[in-house]
C-alpha cells in the first residue's frame, strides 16, 4: 500500500508541476489535499508515510472516527455541513471548505466561540448549476453570504471552493473554473485581505483547474484508487 501510494503521489505531483509550468505559475502556489473519504485509517497512515499532510473528508462523523489522534496533519471538511454537526466540526477540522449557507456559518461561529478559536472557512459556489450539488446557487447569493459571514468574529473567510461540472466537456469544466477565479480575484481586490485560497480541481480535472488558477486541488481516486460505492 505504502509503495503504490508513493508512486501515485509522485505521478500526481508531476502533473501538478507540469500544469503549473504551463500556466506560468510557481508549483509552490498549489497545495495538494489527499481526500481520504471512503478509505480506512490505514490509507491515511500510508499517505502520511509518503509525506502528505493535508487531508479532506466529506462527512463529519467519518472524519471524527478516522482522525482521533492529535497529529501534525491538517484536516478540512469538503462535504456539506449540517447545522447540528457544527459542534463536532469545530472540534475535528481546521477548515470548513463547504460553507453554503449563512445560517450554517453562524452555527459554526458560535461553536468556535465556545472553544475560543477562530476557524478558516471557504465559501462554496455551485458553479455548474447542477441541482444535486451543494454550494451557493449563484454569484449574488455568495456575495450576500460573504457580506454576513465576514462579520462573524470566529470565522476567517480564506477563499472559495467549487466542484467542477461532472461531465466530459472540457470547455464547460474550464469555464466553471474560470468563472470562480474571476469572482475570487474580484473579492480579493475589494479588500478581503485574508482571501488566499481557491480550492478547485479533483482527480479528473485538476490540471485544468491549476491552469485556471487553483491554489488547492482535492485528490482522492488518483492517490488512493477507486472508492467503494456507498
Ligand atoms: C470526493 C471529493 C473529492 C475527490 O474526488 P476524486 O475524484 O476522487 O479525486 C474532491 N472534492 C470533493 C468535494 C469531494 O467530495
Amino acid at each position: 500500500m505504502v509503495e503504490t501510494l508513493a508512486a501515485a503521489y509522485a505521478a500526481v505531483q508531476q502533473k501538478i508541476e507540469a500544469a503549473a509550468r504551463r500556466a506560468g505559475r510557481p508549483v509552490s502556489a498549489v497545495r495538494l489535499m489527499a481526500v481520504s473519504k471512503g478509505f480506512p485509517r490505514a490509507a491515511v497512515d500510508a499517505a502520511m508515510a509518503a509525506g502528505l499532510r493535508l487531508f479532506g473528508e466529506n462527512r463529519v462523523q467519518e472524519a471524527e472516527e478516522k482522525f482521533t489522534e492529535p497529529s501534525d496533519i491538517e484536516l478540512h471538511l469538503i462535504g456539506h455541513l449540517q447545522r447540528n454537526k457544527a459542534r463536532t466540526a469545530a472540534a475535528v477540522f481546521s477548515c470548513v471548505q463547504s460553507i453554503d449557507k449563512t445560517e450554517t456559518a453562524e452555527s459554526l461561529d458560535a461553536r468556535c466561540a465556545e472553544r475560543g478559536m477562530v476557524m478558516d472557512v471557504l465559501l462554496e459556489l455551485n458553479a455548474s448549476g447542477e441541482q444535486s450539488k451543494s454550494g451557493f446557487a449563484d454569484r449574488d447569493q455568495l456575495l450576500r453570504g460573504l457580506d454576513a459571514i465576514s462579520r462573524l468574529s470566529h470565522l476567517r473567510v480564506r477563499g472559495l471552493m467549487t466542484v467542477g461540472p461532472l461531465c466530459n466537456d472540457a470547455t464547460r469544466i474550464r469555464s466553471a473554473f474560470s468563472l470562480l477565479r474571476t469572482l475570487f480575484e474580484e473579492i480579493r481586490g475589494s479588500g478581503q485581505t485574508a482571501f488566499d485560497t481557491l480550492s478547485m480541481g479533483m482527480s479528473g480535472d485538476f490540471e485544468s483547474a491549476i491552469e485556471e488558477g487553483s491554489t488547492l486541488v482535492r485528490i482522492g481516486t488518483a492517490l488512493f484508487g477507486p472508492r467503494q460505492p456507498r
Side-chain angles (χ1 to χ4, degrees), residues 33 35 37 39 57-58 78-79 97 124 161-163 201-204 217-223 225 227:
M33 162 185 284
V35 176
K37 70 179 186 198
F39 287 94
E57 286 282 342
N58 71 334
I78 58 172
Q97 295 202 355
E124 180 177 1
M161 184 270 248
T162 201
V163 174
M202 307 176 18
S203 293
V217 291
R218 310 177 307 267
I219 310 289
T221 315
L223 288 172
R227 285 179 291 274

Side-chain angles (χ1 to χ4, degrees), residues 52-101:
L52 286 152
R53 284 294 176 274
L54 172 60
F55 290 85
E57 286 282 342
N58 71 334
R59 291 182 185 183
V60 175
Q61 197 183 332
E62 180 180 343
E64 186 188 23
E65 287 162 9
K66 204 181 296 179
F67 292 84
T68 45
E69 305 280 301
S71 68
D72 63 343
I73 64 155
E74 214 184 305
L75 180 62
H76 295 188
L77 180 65
I78 58 172
H80 182 70
L81 176 63
Q82 290 169 295
R83 286 181 78 171
N84 62 2
K85 298 273 172 65
R87 184 187 301 273
T88 312
V92 172
F93 299 100
S94 65
C95 174
V96 173
Q97 295 202 355
S98 41
I99 296 290
D100 59 4
K101 276 195 193 70

Side-chain angles (χ1 to χ4, degrees), residues 4 27 42 64 67 73 81 83 86 102 105 143 159 164 167 184 189 197 226:
T4 28
V27 178
E64 186 188 23
F67 292 84
I73 64 155
L81 176 63
R83 286 181 78 171
T102 304
L143 289 174
C167 65
F184 176 75
T197 306

Side-chain angles (χ1 to χ4, degrees), residues 179-213:
L179 190 104
L180 194 69
R181 157 77 177 279
T182 305
L183 183 57
F184 176 75
E185 300 286 354
E186 188 185 317
I187 295 170
R188 191 160 57 168
S190 75
Q192 285 282 346
T193 46
F195 238 63
D196 61 4
T197 306
L198 183 55
S199 172
M200 52 189 201
M202 307 176 18
S203 293
D205 57 18
F206 70 93
E207 291 162 280
S208 36
I210 291 168
E211 291 176 25
E212 296 297 336

